[in-house]
Amino acid sequence: MIEGRNIVCIASNWAADPTSKHHIMRLVAERNEIVWVNYHGSRRPRASAADAGAIVGKLRQVIEGPRRVAERITVVTPLVAPLPGSRVVAALNKRLLVRQIKRVIRDLPPRPVQVWSFAPDVDFLCGSFDEEFFVYYCVDEFSEFEGYDRDAILSAEARLAAKADLVVVTSQALCEAKQRLNPRVVLVTHGVDYEHFAKARRGEVVIPEEIAKLPRPILGFWGLIEGWVDVDLIAAMARARPHWSIVLIGRFTADVSALEELANVHLLGRRPYEQLPAYARGFDAGLIPFRVNELTRAVNPIKLREYLSAGLPVVSTPMPEVERYGPHVSIASDAAEFVAACERMIAENSPGKILERQTAMQRETWQSKVEEVCSLIRPPRPVSLHRSPS
């Protein structure tokens, strides 16, 4: 594990539900100071209520200034212009970002600086902090996200990957795509907070009242319900088995009207991460009903390992990173196959199967993944420890 560094983490909103970024940086923060940058310059805002609310929230965070959210983690929301593809805006954002981040670094102990970017379009930051090492941590095929300027993202990502000292990717598809940009690409799959989700089978949690009395089987999903979730598939499955209960946990921006009219589909909204093992205790299977496209082919769903750590059988649409877990998951392409797979996985469930799933996950903790990445970080050059006056 690296230690004694000031690490600038370019990421999404700290206040969001835990992602790989959160898990990784919390562990790295045990021996380093983290400056978490809520970066929001990758996508142009849309004329929607959701984006309007997000803008208001971001402005509030900007006004609040840097916040200490943990012993060694400081969060800053810089003022930047979300207009990707513009060279003028990129130059402006560089000045704004560098100045605001340096102000936070200046208040930390004088240590070597590293930059870990989970954003693909900040190539203009490379070298701005006299950093000893720059990591591009690629967890998605960002150019395929709805609302992103595909060409602008691909161009910026290519420049960033070429400049980075190390590119970490989380799926084989991403590895194949990014190796064309930089030979220093390594595949490190996502981890899991195993001990947290294993509580579901240890009697340490109680099934929440809102699902405890639902008709069984209970098929569960947690995560963002956005365009990559196949709402039509879920609705068709619910209609095919009206006596089943389908529970969806998470904030949704996708059109879920087809689900809202179904009595056996329960849209619970967001629930705290801390409560997910309790819900898992009440589920009979975990679902990953993603649409199959260029975005999801590169995805390595964190929820896959969370479900398995909770002992749940998993039914998923075809995705390469899910298919690698063979006996612990069942792959289905349409509603009929999903229903059959759920019936089969639930019928074959047993204490032995549950233990097999959980045992497989004990080796895939976030701790092991962070240690693997840190072992690859070898600063190539000495750096000065001065504090910048800007």
Side-chain angles (χ1 to χ4, degrees):
M1 181 75 76
I2 58 174
E3 59 181 294
R5 264 61 182 172
N6 291 330
I7 296 178
V8 177
C9 172
I10 311 297
S12 50
N13 196 347
W14 171 264
D17 289 327
T19 63
S20 57
K21 316 169 190 66
H22 295 81
H23 293 296
I24 291 167
M25 284 299 139
R26 284 187 184 278
L27 288 168
V28 176
E30 291 178 359
R31 301 184 186 182
N32 304 273
E33 287 282 348
I34 308 298
V35 179
W36 177 291
V37 181
N38 285 336
Y39 180 69
H40 51 277
S42 299
R43 179 177 67 82
R44 293 173 183 262
R46 295 167 293 193
S48 66
D51 275 8
I55 291 171
V56 171
K58 291 291 184 186
L59 289 174
R60 186 179 298 117
Q61 292 173 343
V62 170
I63 294 169
E64 286 177 353
R67 297 176 297 120
R68 197 74 161 168
V69 296
E71 185 179 353
R72 296 186 182 90
I73 302 177
T74 301
V75 172
V76 58
T77 304
L79 180 64
V80 297
L83 296 171
S86 167
R87 291 186 178 181
V88 173
V89 170
L92 173 63
N93 283 346
K94 176 179 179 177
R95 288 196 296 271
L96 290 171
L97 273 171
V98 171
R99 183 179 303 167
Q100 294 169 86
I101 294 169
K102 280 185 175 180
R103 286 175 183 167
V104 181
I105 296 175
R106 189 173 55 203
D107 293 332
L108 299 177
R111 296 169 170 173
V113 173
Q114 294 183 7
V115 180
W116 292 35
S117 179
F118 291 85
D121 54 338
V122 293
D123 56 291
F124 51 81
L125 291 182
C126 291
S128 295
F129 306 101
D130 195 23
E131 68 270 7
E132 65 174 5
F133 209 83
F134 197 112
V135 179
Y136 172 37
Y137 211 122
C138 180
V139 300
D140 281 301
E141 188 55 79
F142 294 100
S143 63
E144 298 296 333
F145 275 117
E146 183 180 354
Y148 279 47
D149 184 326
R150 187 174 190 276
D151 291 340
I153 289 293
L154 286 173
S155 295
E157 182 182 48
R159 294 191 299 269
L160 175 63
K163 295 175 183 177
D165 296 300
L166 178 69
V167 178
V168 180
V169 295
T170 54
S171 73
Q172 185 60 41
L174 289 173
C175 188
E176 293 169 2
K178 308 315 169 189
Q179 278 180 332
R180 296 192 291 268
L181 306 177
N182 188 329
R184 299 180 298 278
V185 174
V186 295
L187 171 60
V188 181
T189 57
H190 285 312
V192 67
D193 188 351
Y194 175 79
E195 290 299 326
H196 180 59
F197 288 95
K199 295 175 185 176
R201 297 295 172 180
R202 294 177 180 165
E204 299 177 24
V205 294
V206 177
I207 300 173
E209 289 185 11
E210 60 186 340
I211 70 168
K213 296 182 180 179
L214 292 178
R216 304 194 86 95
I218 299 175
L219 309 178
F221 168 93
W222 59 62
L224 294 175
I225 304 172
E226 300 204 19
W228 54 80
V229 174
D230 195 336
V231 171
D232 295 332
L233 171 61
I234 298 170
M237 185 170 60
R239 293 190 189 99
R241 292 293 185 272
H243 58 285
W244 288 7
S245 299
I246 299 177
V247 174
L248 307 177
I249 297 172
R251 179 177 62 84
F252 57 86
T253 60
D255 180 3
V256 294
S257 55
L259 302 176
E260 291 174 324
E261 62 187 28
L262 298 171
N264 63 329
V265 176
H266 306 271
L267 290 159
L268 303 188
R270 183 183 179 277
R271 293 293 181 270
Y273 175 78
E274 292 73 20
Q275 295 179 12
L276 293 182
Y279 285 92
R281 183 172 175 81
F283 293 168
D284 293 292
L287 304 179
I288 309 181
F290 286 2
R291 299 183 186 278
V292 178
N293 52 38
E294 291 305 309
L295 173 64
T296 57
R297 286 190 186 96
V299 162
N300 196 327
I302 295 175
K303 62 177 58 61
L304 167 66
R305 293 167 180 77
E306 293 174 344
Y307 291 157
L308 294 176
S309 295
L312 293 171
V314 178
V315 180
S316 172
T317 45
M319 284 178 283
E321 294 302 324
V322 177
E323 292 172 346
R324 298 180 196 282
Y325 286 79
H328 307 309
V329 303
S330 185
I331 303 300
S333 298
D334 57 31
E337 291 183 7
F338 242 83
V339 168
C342 288
E343 290 175 333
R344 182 174 63 256
M345 295 294 277
I346 293 170
E348 295 175 357
N349 207 13
S350 67
K353 293 279 189 182
I354 291 169
L355 181 60
E356 285 179 13
R357 296 180 200 117
Q358 292 189 296
T359 300
M361 292 300 102
Q362 289 177 343
R363 302 185 298 273
E364 299 206 24
T365 64
W366 286 114
Q367 181 73 41
S368 68
K369 303 299 181 178
V370 169
E371 289 175 357
E372 183 176 354
V373 172
C374 288
S375 71
L376 300 169
I377 295 178
R378 301 180 181 90
R381 57 189 179 276
V383 297
S384 61
L385 303 183
H386 69 274
R387 290 193 176 106
S388 171
S390 59

